[in-house]
Amino acid sequence: METTADILIRKTPASRLKEVDFDQLEFGKYISDHMLVCDYANGKWKEPQIVPFANLSMSPSALALHYGQTVFEGMKAFRMHDGGINIFRMDKHYDRFVRSLQRMCMAVVPKEIFVEGLRQLVELDKDWVPAKPGNALYLRPFVFASEARFGVKVSEEYRFVIFSGPVPSLYTDPIKVKVETHYIRAAKGGTGFAKCGGNYGAAFLPTQQARSEGYDQVLWTDGIEHKYIEESGMMNVMFVINGKLVTAPLSDSILDGVTRDSLLTLAQELGYETEERPIAVAELEAAFKKGMITEAFGAGTAAVVAPIQTIHINGIDYSLPKYNGNNLLFKLKAGLENIRLGISTDTYGWNFML
Ligand SMILES: *Cc1c(COP(=O)(O)O)cnc(C)c1O
């Protein structure tokens, strides 16, 4: 780091680390001792502070609560096999954070506050980074509109917060998904590429309906014709069709997933052909009928890969062949894990070493 943001640190007098059962981690249950807080007002970001994790105090008229100016990131720090710690692809997460903030008309967090804030926060709470391979310290940077004023307007005040918590590797049993043909997650020209809270809020009802019909998740289709596959739940979605790794191309209705990008890169390194192109629902149907589709999975930071067992299309449940260790999705997952653990070479400079 050339520019080091000055960060005031106030340590907790009583660590909660001993309350954590690292053998029984649950996603989202434990929060580490400290958080970073940084306020924006009068056109400037103030000095960031690292303080003991605690509730925030804000006005009920804080604009974020009413008009939804709120943006987040989800990323992970890993304990490597030699004991070192890295934060995975911090630059790419930062670039996406900036794009999300810009789309929501919010103040952009300077890179040195983001990078140095994460580095110092993870350094301070390094004993919270789990040692078991696959487990990680989940990092949640977010910004919300904090100005207290209830007229509809762009906020002039923001708060940037980062907190973290140890999480298990989420292995999910193969899931059942339903091609959604009524609701949409994202529209052309909308906010689908931004990691903003509203995208999640709007996805809950369709997902609950899919659950009540016996599916785990929704397979989102495009907002114009419901003709092309976009994402699976809150993950990018990838298929192996005819031996090639295929995923939807980036657009303003697709979230530019860091996992998606990493898996595409690793698949090419393994000698697989990859395609980023529109995938029609009709193409999937045809591929099932000809037995040409061999894998389908969600890709995202939380689970890395979430294998799909069944896809519901036009009244029919199509099944994928049973998965085994030879499947590409598991090779990709292992390839990614080996880089993060420092077992294989970090050719692409993905690990930000603490
Ligand atoms: C966060 C997210 C993803 C996955 O992105 P990663 O960077 O791989 O975690 C995919 N789709 C949506 C809608 C998301 O919000």
Side-chain angles (χ1 to χ4, degrees):
M1 287 297 303
E2 283 154 85
T3 39
T4 325
D6 276 327
I7 302 182
L8 268 165
I9 298 182
R10 184 159 56 82
K11 288 191 191 172
T12 179
S15 172
R16 289 175 283 101
L17 187 59
K18 55 193 173 303
E19 294 164 20
V20 180
D21 182 350
F22 278 91
D23 292 322
Q24 310 252 317
L25 293 176
E26 284 171 42
F27 201 94
K29 180 173 175 185
Y30 296 112
I31 296 180
S32 318
D33 282 331
H34 299 90
M35 64 179 182
L36 178 131
V37 182
C38 185
D39 285 323
Y40 175 94
N42 303 317
K44 279 205 297 283
W45 287 97
K46 299 181 187 159
E47 204 168 301
Q49 302 195 6
I50 291 176
V51 295
F53 182 83
N55 290 347
L56 299 170
S57 166
M58 65 175 143
S59 166
S61 74
L63 287 167
L65 299 177
H66 306 271
Y67 311 121
Q69 275 184 302
T70 162
V71 152
F72 67 96
E73 267 305 319
M75 45 204 290
K76 283 176 170 174
F78 295 90
R79 171 134 357 236
M80 302 171 78
H81 75 124
D82 65 358
I85 293 171
N86 76 70
I87 299 174
F88 189 69
R89 300 198 73 177
M90 179 147 59
D91 288 339
K92 193 160 169 66
H93 281 284
Y94 176 73
D95 291 346
R96 183 171 72 192
F97 198 40
V98 171
R99 293 197 299 274
S100 300
L101 289 165
Q102 287 171 336
R103 177 63 182 84
M104 300 307 288
C105 219
M106 297 165 70
V108 169
V109 176
K111 188 161 186 181
E112 60 267 27
I113 296 182
F114 185 87
V115 169
E116 199 54 21
L118 280 164
R119 195 184 68 75
Q120 294 199 29
L121 188 68
V122 175
E123 176 68 41
L124 187 61
D125 282 339
K126 61 176 179 290
D127 293 343
W128 290 79
V129 184
K132 192 166 144 195
N135 294 2
L137 186 70
Y138 187 87
L139 307 169
R140 170 51 59 86
F142 64 104
V143 179
F144 65 94
S146 52
E147 185 181 347
R149 193 167 170 123
F150 59 82
V152 181
K153 70 185 279 282
V154 174
S155 183
E156 286 168 50
E157 294 172 17
Y158 295 93
R159 179 163 276 199
F160 172 48
V161 181
I162 313 173
F163 66 80
S164 71
V167 295
S169 67
L170 269 191
Y171 172 77
T172 56
D173 284 328
I175 58 171
K176 296 175 73 173
V177 299
K178 173 195 144 185
V179 170
E180 179 59 64
T181 52
H182 176 70
Y183 297 105
I184 59 168
R185 189 194 77 87
K188 225 175 161 34
T191 59
F193 69 91
K195 241 173 151 62
C196 59
N199 288 346
Y200 280 66
F204 287 145
L205 182 70
T207 307
Q208 263 195 349
Q209 286 192 4
R211 296 238 160 101
S212 71
E213 294 164 28
Y215 299 92
D216 300 291
Q217 271 300 347
V218 163
L219 207 51
W220 299 108
T221 49
D222 72 273
I224 298 172
E225 304 173 277
H226 293 297
K227 203 171 147 188
Y228 297 98
I229 302 289
E230 299 226 306
E231 298 201 46
S232 169
M234 287 298 156
M235 301 176 96
N236 294 110
V237 66
M238 304 183 127
F239 302 94
V240 177
I241 302 174
N242 226 355
K244 294 178 192 166
L245 183 64
V246 188
T247 192
L250 295 179
S251 73
D252 52 6
S253 60
I254 304 272
L255 200 291
D256 181 1
V258 174
T259 314
R260 172 190 179 279
D261 182 79
S262 307
L263 299 186
L264 283 170
T265 304
L266 293 181
Q268 287 159 13
E269 197 182 287
L270 288 174
Y272 284 83
E273 260 185 73
T274 63
E275 293 180 346
E276 296 174 68
R277 59 164 178 84
I279 304 159
V281 177
E283 178 188 348
L284 288 187
E285 264 180 309
F288 273 116
K289 287 178 182 151
K290 292 191 205 137
M292 273 165 34
I293 173 166
T294 48
E295 301 180 32
F297 55 98
T301 294
V304 185
V305 293
I308 294 172
Q309 161 208 315
T310 301
I311 303 181
H312 181 90
I313 309 172
N314 291 329
I316 300 177
D317 277 347
Y318 293 94
S319 290
L320 277 297
K322 278 227 173 320
Y323 292 105
N324 63 58
N326 292 325
N327 287 123
L328 178 59
L329 78 155
F330 294 121
K331 288 185 198 158
L332 295 176
K333 184 178 183 177
L336 197 56
E337 182 158 296
N338 285 340
I339 292 173
R340 289 160 159 180
L341 294 177
I343 291 167
S344 47
T345 313
D346 179 17
T347 322
Y348 309 100
W350 286 345
N351 295 335
F352 174 92
M353 300 303 304
L354 223 56

